[in-house]
Every structure is written in structure tokens, then in C-alpha cells.
Amino acid sequence: MQLYRIVFIVAVTAFCHTALVPFVKADSPLAQQNGSRQTEADQLLEQGTQQYRTGQPTQAIATLQQALKLYQALADQPKVVKTLRNLGNAYSVMTNYPQAVAFYEQSLDLARKTKNLEGEAAALGNLGVIAINLGKADKAAEYYQQALTLYRQIKDRLGEGQMIGNLAEIAVNQRDYPKAIAAYQQAIVVAREIKDRRLEANSLGGLSVVSAGLGDQATSIDYSQQQLTLARSLDDRLGMAAALNNLGTNHYALSNYGKAIDYLDQRLVIARQIQDRLGEAQSLGNLSTVYYDLGDYNQAIDTAFKGLAIARDIQNPLLEASFLTKLGNLYLIVQDFPKAIEYHEKRLATGRAMKDTNSVTTAFTNLGNVYRSMGQYEKAIDYHQQALVLARQSNDKASESSALANLGVEYDELGQSDKAVTSYQQALAIARDTQDRATEGLVLNNLGKALFRLGKLAEAESALTSSLTLWESLRANLGNNDRNQISLFEQQARTYRLLQRVLVAQNKTDAALEIAERGRARAFVALLSRRLSGAETQPTAAVPATPPPTIAQIKQIAKAQNSTLVQYSITYEDILIDGKVQPREAELLIWAIAPDGTITFRNVDLTTQAKGRFALGDLVASSRETIGVSGRGSGAPKNTAPAEDLAKSQGLYQLLIQPIADALPKDPNARVTFIPQQSLFLVPFAALQDPAGKYLIERHTILTAPSIQVLALTQQQRERGGERGVSSGGGEVRRAEGVRGIRGAGGVRGAGGASRGEEQGVRTTNLPGSPLPTSGSLVVGNPTMPFLATQAGEPAEQLGSLPGAELEAAAIAPLLGTQAITGDRATKAAIVQRMPQERIIHLATHGLLDDLKGLGIPGAIALAPSGKDNGFLTADEILDLKLKAELVVLSACDTGRGRLTGDGVIGLSRSFIAAGVPSLVVSLWAVPDAPTAFLMTAFYQNLTQTPDKAQALRRAMLDTLKQYPKPQDWAAFTLIGEAE
């Protein structure tokens, strides 16, 4: 089911601002005392001007009409010209453009008759603004150019600079960025010559918009900051609001949602202070969109309602229509179909009242989308056919293509795939003719699906391959923005999945493996490739795309890793459940690639596995619950019988392992690298049990990886790390029971203090001949814990101390030839300063799942706070580090988890690998304290005897299994990346 994104309103800085003046009533003592009709008229003009600027256009019109009569009686033609222009402004605020144009033209005619060149130029500028709002850029440019000529004739440098800026805005809208940049720079020259800092600030704002359009958010932010500084120095609150809006837009584009909300909130405050109702509504619309992206749909809806109320209050029907569509789409997302229909029907009524064909077409399209989501395809077809008729009548090619594409979907769902193909082909022709590449990619995907249903497999393969090529070119245009790459890939992943099914249906299983890999962790691969090439020092530089591996290269990677690679791919299909079209897991595709190049393929039908939509996802969740590691906020684990627990563990084994068991190595020391997808990233592969009750870790040495190509890149990172050092030492730990880490706001806080039993001492034993480095190791345990509020609005509380983690660090440090850093010494500042130089990093502390900064990258490690920070080392900050470590161990809770995407797990593990770490040990749940200490000490002791980290971890797990037989105690940790 398609998710409909809501347009993010970008306010373009206006170039003609006049300072607001206080309200003055017509019958005020000042007017009466003066007794002058001229004074009364001037006061009315000032009052009417402020009224339309503060969202009171109806009152403004009445006031300005009074002023106009007085000026006409006084024969004050310059003021008549100005008042007519302000009446046009009031109607413009109401988006009553015909009336606005009528008053502007009256103002223009009178100015020309009276040879008022300044008034003529101003009226032409206003007519240009209306032309822009009506989508008539060429006409607007004509008006602006005439105004520019007049301003130059009367040597009005400010007016000249403003018109240059307006012409630059047209170039921005036409995506002619070089022309726009040249014009804004020319306006800045004028501004500096006449020392008009407001014009300079507005021009900087324009350059900010251009830079954002070019994808250079860093430069855009710099321009917006300059604009904000100038506006503040002038106490220009309209300019400040524009700069804050641009900064909010920048950070929204970067998925820096916390900062986006902060800047947009500041803009909202200013808009309310100066009674800028239009700006207030725009801010609310932007905030609603940010909340939508954060998944806070209730907040998004509430904020949109506030914006809708203002749009109605200021009588702006176009803005009202925009909010009605926003609300309709939001209710569609939350699948509240009656309300979605209600608001789209209101948009339809508004459009008909305005006789706005575009609004009516949009409403028909969205209503059709709602009914399709409800599975009412006939009704959806009716609305989309009406949209098609209107689009053709108005020669709206984009809407025509959209209507045809939507009709294709509905025909296909009704089993009329031949009609669907015809509609898609018509839509495709228009998309190509108008160079609408996004629509072209979507239509090619849907065309491939219809052809697949018709059994035309070769044609389906061709359409889907073309779609992928187009999607990948669109991603290349995003530059080096990792977050945007991830977001766009999420929308395009279905094409990769569908093409795999088409290829498997043709028995092209090797080609399907190439596509499965081509559609996996692409943003991560691009990020790693960029860093390996050194291009991260030039964040806006174009870096050639890293091609996905061929079958020959995949085999070579398996050989180089000396591991059997097991790749999973989940495909989906749409089904109708309870009146809603929803995705369901359809097939599990599994490939096992042996080091000798042998490839084994198996296909598992997931539709027969469970009654729900997500056979695998549900089984993974229930299996974790039986282990006692249910998800965040899920409460206590369910009490289930041992037989039921075994059945769930074996159920996952039967789905994930049994189909390719014959392709796995018989030698338990031989490596198996699992490459999961979606919910499978949460599977504790080590704890899966075969029919005989044996755990998988007892039969195999296990690793995981985000993709096959990531393994090749982590190998390059390892090879750059140089030779390993040698050290000696050993140890064993026992400590107080507890749980490390917290499960996030509102979740269960881990307790690190003493509870059951008595803390045990630490014993170390020297072990000669260790392959561990003699220096360059960083071991942290139990820092002085930072403070965190577990619920919004609640006071922050200090995280629980972990004395057992301190004992663990003290035992491990001698093995690595270093001293443990604990307590107050383990500050974030001190640890971050040391991390880039260390070859092994061990962090025994609390781990968090939360996205503390609202940047879209969840995960944080708790360290001691210092004066300049809060103590939390976030995944986003780790992503920006350059590390040389060959191994990082995160001996904390949930450090292997994060946000599940088509690009893998977005969180701590991804950030560390991207920062340069080839081997990473992380946990899949909140790890208990004592078993973790036992396992970690055994792991490092094993590393003194073998350089193979996977074997060292396996032996440590088996030793811990004997001491602590519950999987919850020993199966949490997994090795990601390189074994050696």
C-alpha cells in the first residue's frame, strides 16, 4: 500500500516588507483633534494595511474602501494609487486573485495616467506575484522586468534589488539554479552598495533555497544562518521567521527532526507575536509534516487541524484546501477511512466552490486512493476516471498520468490485468514525455507486476529491470545524504522483491540472488565505499556508485571470507483483510553460498505458515518472548510451557535452517555467515534448535552481516588496519545479577546495582602467546552514569550503576595490556578523544535504543557526563568518527538493534562499521549482568588462543551455556563483519 507523503510548504522570502504600525481607530482622539480628512485617510490606510497583514483581510477591505473614498475626494492621486494596490493585497491574502488583479490594474492605470513611475513599478511587481501564484512564470517575469526597468529609470536601487530578487525566485521555480544564483548575488551587490541589510538578508535567504534545491544542505544552512543573523540585528521579525523556516526545512531534509521542530517552533512563535496568520498556518503545516515523518500521526493531525482553522479564519481557500488534503491523507495513513473520505470530500466541495479544476482533480484522485485502500476497486475506478476526464480537459499531463497509473492498479486488482497493462502503457508514455522520472519508475514497477500476473515473465523482467535502473539513477541524484538514500530506498524496495519473484519463476535463481544483493544495504554500501575512498572529506562531491556484486564476485567473497553465506529475502503480496488492503509475507527465498562457490537455493511458502500477515515476524516476536526478551514496552515475558518454547524455537529452525541444512558445513568450526532481512535481524541464530533439541551454535560457528557486499568492504577495512599485536593475560569474573541498559523512554530501566547474591572477586591468569595487541586497547566499565528522563515532561533520573561491568572491565583490561577506565574518568569527552587511536574498544555500560536527538538514527552508549555534554554517545555521533579499531565490543543492552529498514538495521552497529570498524560484537536484547561478564571474559581468553573472533565467541557461548543454560543468558551476542 502506497503511503502518501504530504507536501512540505517552503515559504519563499518576500522582498517587499513594510514595518507594521499600531492600529489607529478612525474616530480616535488624534483624528478628531487634528480635524483633517487627510490625517483620517492616512490613519485608515495604515490600519487597513496592518489588518490584511495580520490575517484580517475582510476588515482590511472595509477600512481601505473608506480610505479610498477620502483620498478620491481629496484628489490625492498618489495615495489613491497606493490604496488601490493595498486593496489588491487584501484580496490576494484571501487568494481571490481575480479581484486582486482588478485592483492592481486600476492602480497601474492611474499611476500611468499620472506619470507616477514608482506606483507603476510597484503595481507591476504585485501583478507579477499574482502571476507566480497562478503558475504563469513567463507572465510574471514580464511584469518583473518592466518594474525593474522603471526602478532603474528613477534610480530606485532598493526597488531594483527587490525585482532582481523576484526574478531570481522565478529561476528557482524553474530549476534554473545558475541563473538564480547570479541574480541573488547581483541583488546582494546592490544591497551592500546602498547598505540595505534587509535586502541583503532576503537575498541570502534566496541563496539558501537554491542551495537546498541543489541538495547542498550544509551551504543552505550557512546562508540561512547569515540571513538569521542579519534579520536579528535589524529586529526584522518577518526576516527572522523566513530564516527560521528555511533552517527547519534544511534539517527536515536531513531527517534531523528534532532540530527541524525546534526551528519551526521558533518561527511559529514569531508568527504569533507579529500576528502573521498566514505564516502561522504555514508553520503548523510544516510541523504537521515533520510529525508525520516521525510516525506521530496524532500530533500531525492535531497540528493540521490548527492550521486548517487559521486558513478558514483568514479566508484563504487555497490554504484551506491544502490542509483538507493533508488531513485526508493523514487519516488514510492511519486507515481511518471514513474520516479520510470526509476531508477529501470537503476538499472536493472547496474546489468546486472556487471553480478550481486542479483542486477537484486532486480530490477525485485522493478519494479513489482511499476506496482502493478499502478494497472497493469499482468505486476507486469511478473517481479516478473522473480525475482522468478533468486532467485531459485542462491538459494537465501530470494528473492524467497519475489517473491512468491509478486505474491500472485497480484493474489489476480486479483481475483485469490486460486493461491494467494498457493503462500503465499510456501512463508510461506521458511520464516519459514530461520527463517525470519518479512516476515512470512507479509505473514500470506496476506494469511488471501486471505482466507477472499474466504469465508474461520475460516482459515483466524487462519492465522491472528498467524500473530498477531508473530508481538507482534517482538515488544517485541524492548525492551523499545517507538518510535520504535510506528513505528513498524504502519506497523502492518492492521493485527489487518483485523482480526476484519473477526471476525465480523463470528458474533464474542465480540472477535472483544478484538482485537480492543489489537491493540490500545500498545506502550502507555507498557510505562505506565513500569512506574507503576518502570522499567523506568532500560531503557534497559526487562519488561514482559502487556496482553491486555479480555471481562470480559473490562466490569470491564467500571464498575470501572462508564462510558459507546464507542470504534471506522476504517477498510480499497485497491481500484484503477486514476491508483494508494490507501487505502479507508471501515467500522466503534462501541462498547458501559455500566457500567453494556452490550455490544452493530454496524457496519457502510463507502464506501457509500462519493465519496472520507476518508468519516470520510473528514467529520471531513470539520466540523472543519465550526466551524472555520481548520487545520494548511489552511487559513481562509470557509464561509458557517448555514444550511450547521448544516448538517456537524449532519453528524458526524449520523455516530458516532446515531448508538449507544440507548445504551447511558439517565441521562445527567452519563459519556460517547469516545475512538477514527485516525481522530476521532480531533472530538469535545461535539459540535456534533443531528437531533433536541441539542449539545451532553447537553445530556451527556463526556470524551475521547486513549484506554480502558489506563483507567485502569490511574486509578492506580490516586489511587497512595492519597487523595485529601480541599480548598476554587472562581472567574470570563473577558479579552481582542485574540488567544492563534501559529499553527507552517508558520502558524497563535496567538495574546495575547489587541485587541477588554477593559480588565475587576477580582472578586473572597470564596466558602466553596471545594474538591480542599489546597496546592500543580501550576498556570502559561502569562510568558514572548520566541522567535521562524516561517519559517526556518527567525529571531526568540517573541511570543505575553497574558495578559488575566495572569488575568485567577490570578482568578484561589485563588481557589487552591496558587499564580499565571507570567511574568519573570514563567521560564522554575523554573516551571519544581516545577512540580513534585504539585497536580494540570494549564498552561495558548501559545501552539505549532511543533516538535521543531525533535524527532518525537510534541508539546510544552511556558514558560519564562532563561540563559540555550529557554523557550519551549517540549512533549519529559515532557515524561521524574515523576509527582504526579492528574490534569493538558493546557489552551492553540492545546494541545490535535499531530501526529496521530495507537498508538493514539503522543504529549503533551500522554507525560503528561505517566509522571504520570491521568486526563488531553486539547484543540483541537486554543482557543480564553476571552471565555477560562470564561470557565476555571467556571470549577474550579464547582470543588469546585464536585470532578467529567467531570461534572465540562460539566457545564462550558454549562455556556460558554450561554455566547458564537459559538462552536469555548466553545467546544475546552476535559477531557482525569479519571473523579475523
Side-chain angles (χ1 to χ4, degrees), residues 189-213:
V189 169
V190 172
R192 288 172 178 168
E193 285 178 358
I194 64 176
K195 295 181 169 53
D196 190 302
R197 291 188 295 167
R198 180 174 280 106
L199 175 59
E200 181 181 356
N202 291 341
S203 301
L204 288 166
L207 286 171
S208 171
V209 173
V210 173
S211 298

Side-chain angles (χ1 to χ4, degrees), residues 506-530:
Q506 299 177 80
N507 202 30
K508 297 180 179 180
T509 56
D510 282 3
L513 173 58
E514 288 182 332
I515 295 299
E517 182 62 21
R518 181 174 166 183
R520 191 181 300 261
R522 299 318 301 164
F524 195 13
V525 166
L527 178 61
L528 288 174
S529 298
R530 192 163 64 247

Side-chain angles (χ1 to χ4, degrees), residues 435-438 440-441 444 465-479 485 488-489 492 496 518 543 545:
Q435 298 183 359
D436 183 352
R437 303 183 73 210
E440 181 183 352
L444 282 167
T465 301
S466 296
S467 179
L468 286 191
T469 301
L470 197 148
W471 288 145
E472 288 163 359
S473 70
L474 290 179
R475 292 206 303 275
N477 292 335
L478 289 176
Q485 290 270 3
L488 184 58
F489 183 81
Q492 301 170 351
Y496 292 89
R518 181 174 166 183
V543 178

Side-chain angles (χ1 to χ4, degrees), residues 553-635:
Q553 291 169 330
I554 288 172
K555 292 179 179 180
Q556 182 58 40
I557 293 169
K559 181 179 179 180
Q561 293 289 318
N562 192 24
S563 179
T564 297
L565 311 181
V566 179
Q567 174 130 308
Y568 296 101
S569 185
I570 307 169
T571 67
Y572 299 83
E573 62 185 10
D574 286 340
I575 59 171
L576 188 63
I577 299 178
D578 298 328
K580 300 176 182 179
V581 177
Q582 302 187 54
R584 176 179 68 175
E585 291 173 347
E587 294 176 293
L588 176 64
L589 311 180
I590 314 175
W591 292 267
I593 306 99
D596 65 3
T598 302
I599 299 178
T600 301
F601 171 75
R602 299 287 188 270
N603 188 359
V604 180
D605 183 0
L606 295 177
T607 62
T608 61
Q609 299 297 322
K611 294 181 180 179
R613 292 187 294 128
F614 302 110
L616 273 177
D618 293 344
L619 189 53
V620 170
S622 63
S623 296
R624 288 173 61 88
E625 286 180 357
T626 59
I627 291 175
V629 292
S630 55
R632 228 165 98 166
S634 300

Side-chain angles (χ1 to χ4, degrees), residues 361 364-365 368 377-393 402-404 406-407 410-411 416 419 423:
T361 305
F364 280 147
T365 299
Y377 300 118
E378 297 286 0
K379 207 161 189 176
I381 287 172
D382 180 55
Y383 277 113
H384 285 142
Q385 284 178 335
Q386 292 183 70
L388 179 62
V389 170
L390 287 177
R392 285 174 170 166
Q393 288 175 353
S402 173
L404 287 164
N406 282 323
L407 285 166
E410 282 117 37
Y411 290 138
Q416 302 172 27
K419 291 182 71 173
S423 286

Side-chain angles (χ1 to χ4, degrees), residues 26 62 162 287 290 485 498 542 603 677 724 734 813 921:
Q162 290 171 339
L287 284 164
V290 178
Q485 290 270 3
L498 182 56
N603 188 359
Q677 188 182 45
R724 275 90 172 132
R734 296 286 189 277
V921 175

